[in-house]
Amino acid sequence: MISKAANACLWLAVSASAQCSRAVLQDATEQYIAAQSNGESSSISALGTNLTYTENEAPADISTGVLSQPVKLDHNRSIYDTTLCATFTELIAANSEHPYVIGTRMLFTDDKITTIESIVTDQGDWLFNATGYLHWNSLETWDPIPEDQRDSREVIQAAGDAYFDRFHDASVEVPYGTPCARLEGGAYTDSTGPGGNTCNLGLPSTITVTNRRYVIDEEMGVVNIYVGFPGLDRSRGQEPAPDSHTFRVEAGEIRYIHTVSSCVNAGCGLNTTTIPPGRVRLSKGLY
């Protein structure tokens, strides 16, 4: 396993050779969103000639995958990493003929998209409920952070890393803010809980979360981390499952967490698409 120091050096090396404009990333992302709405992947002029395209961590054909299907989108939110030339987009289609919640990470070289990694979730995936995901999303505030209040890349990434580090080390202190809310598949933590610090869910301490891939946007105070999450799909043992966690960080503390997690088998081997007992308290109403 690569050490944290080696991993940091790798990211620094990538950062030094990357750098691209926010306008380029925004334009390409707008093309991607329009393509998903219309079901026309060929309309993305920003696609590179040697594109790597995956859905739920498996190689896929962009011309026959989810991007080939017109999807009525109710919500989209994107972040832009001008240091690593990367983007992340959250899509919610609650009122489409086929409901989806999709997370898509795109990487760029010479202003062209070279990698698209989508986590595509629908009925049967972890706690899937696109209506709930849209509802709770609409109640949150994800405005740009005022320039004089922005955290550094390092602080934003460290908040997300601390969360995942806590899964295998109970001594790690995760910088949860107060209040803090978590949206998982459509289930939402109860903002009326004691102290309002509702992201502290009592995490396990025996799971090593691997293959972390980052998109960091200092303007939005957000880091998205793609991971392989061991044991998420109980039907697959400890095989890492496709998972995306997006953290909104304000003044160094986590304000919101959004997850998108794919199951190999419906319900991730739990014979349910509702939240397992004891994992998290749900708020009243939609979930």
Side-chain angles (χ1 to χ4, degrees):
M1 182 179 294
I2 298 175
S3 69
K4 287 186 179 180
N7 194 44
C9 290
L10 176 61
W11 281 102
L12 286 172
V14 172
S15 299
S17 61
Q19 300 286 338
C20 49
S21 78
R22 196 174 185 87
V24 165
L25 299 180
Q26 288 175 323
D27 179 67
T29 300
E30 288 171 3
Q31 291 180 38
Y32 160 73
I33 295 168
Q36 185 62 84
S37 295
N38 299 322
E40 298 177 352
S41 62
S42 60
S43 67
I44 307 176
S45 62
L47 288 180
T49 54
N50 295 314
L51 177 71
T52 297
Y53 179 77
T54 65
E55 291 185 4
N56 299 335
E57 303 283 26
D61 185 341
I62 193 172
S63 65
T64 58
V66 71
L67 266 172
S68 68
Q69 306 170 25
V71 176
K72 181 182 182 297
L73 298 175
D74 299 296
H75 160 91
N76 70 82
R77 177 184 297 114
S78 297
I79 61 172
Y80 310 99
D81 189 330
T82 58
T83 298
L84 297 178
C85 288
T87 67
F88 173 76
T89 299
E90 174 187 85
L91 301 176
I92 305 174
N95 297 298
S96 185
E97 182 177 352
H98 186 143
Y100 286 107
V101 175
I102 301 171
T104 293
R105 177 176 180 263
M106 300 195 296
L107 307 180
F108 294 72
T109 300
D110 296 330
D111 294 341
K112 291 293 186 180
I113 302 169
T114 54
T115 298
I116 298 178
E117 297 176 318
S118 288
I119 297 180
V120 182
T121 65
D122 57 7
Q123 187 61 40
D125 281 312
W126 182 253
L127 306 179
F128 181 80
N129 184 327
T131 301
Y133 212 95
L134 178 65
H135 171 74
W136 296 116
N137 223 315
S138 71
L139 302 181
E140 297 179 344
T141 301
W142 291 67
D143 294 338
I145 305 291
E147 189 169 0
D148 62 347
Q149 298 176 29
R150 291 174 190 166
D151 291 311
S152 68
R153 292 179 62 83
E154 293 76 15
V155 167
I156 296 169
Q157 179 177 328
D161 274 335
Y163 176 87
F164 285 119
D165 290 345
R166 172 59 183 79
F167 276 84
H168 67 87
D169 183 351
S171 70
V172 173
E173 293 188 10
V174 183
Y176 295 123
T178 304
C180 178
R182 175 185 170 94
L183 179 57
E184 184 173 3
Y188 204 64
T189 52
D190 186 352
S191 60
T192 64
N197 186 4
T198 57
C199 292
N200 191 358
L201 308 177
L203 302 175
S205 57
T206 58
I207 298 173
T208 300
V209 181
T210 61
N211 195 21
R212 302 182 196 181
R213 288 151 285 164
Y214 305 87
V215 179
I216 303 169
D217 186 334
E218 299 96 315
E219 289 190 20
M220 296 297 293
V222 176
V223 56
N224 171 264
I225 309 180
Y226 268 34
V227 302
F229 206 104
L232 177 69
D233 190 329
R234 273 58 166 183
S235 69
R236 309 291 289 189
Q238 289 302 303
E239 177 182 317
D243 181 271
S244 162
H245 274 59
T246 303
F247 301 87
R248 164 78 169 198
V249 180
E250 300 176 0
E253 297 184 333
I254 298 171
R255 178 62 183 91
Y256 301 119
I257 306 172
H258 286 189
T259 79
V260 182
S261 307
S262 172
C263 302
V264 175
N265 296 304
C268 283
L270 294 174
N271 297 318
T272 178
T273 54
T274 61
I275 204 155
R279 180 171 172 88
V280 60
R281 180 176 55 247
L282 297 181
S283 57
K284 298 177 181 179
L286 292 172
Y287 61 92

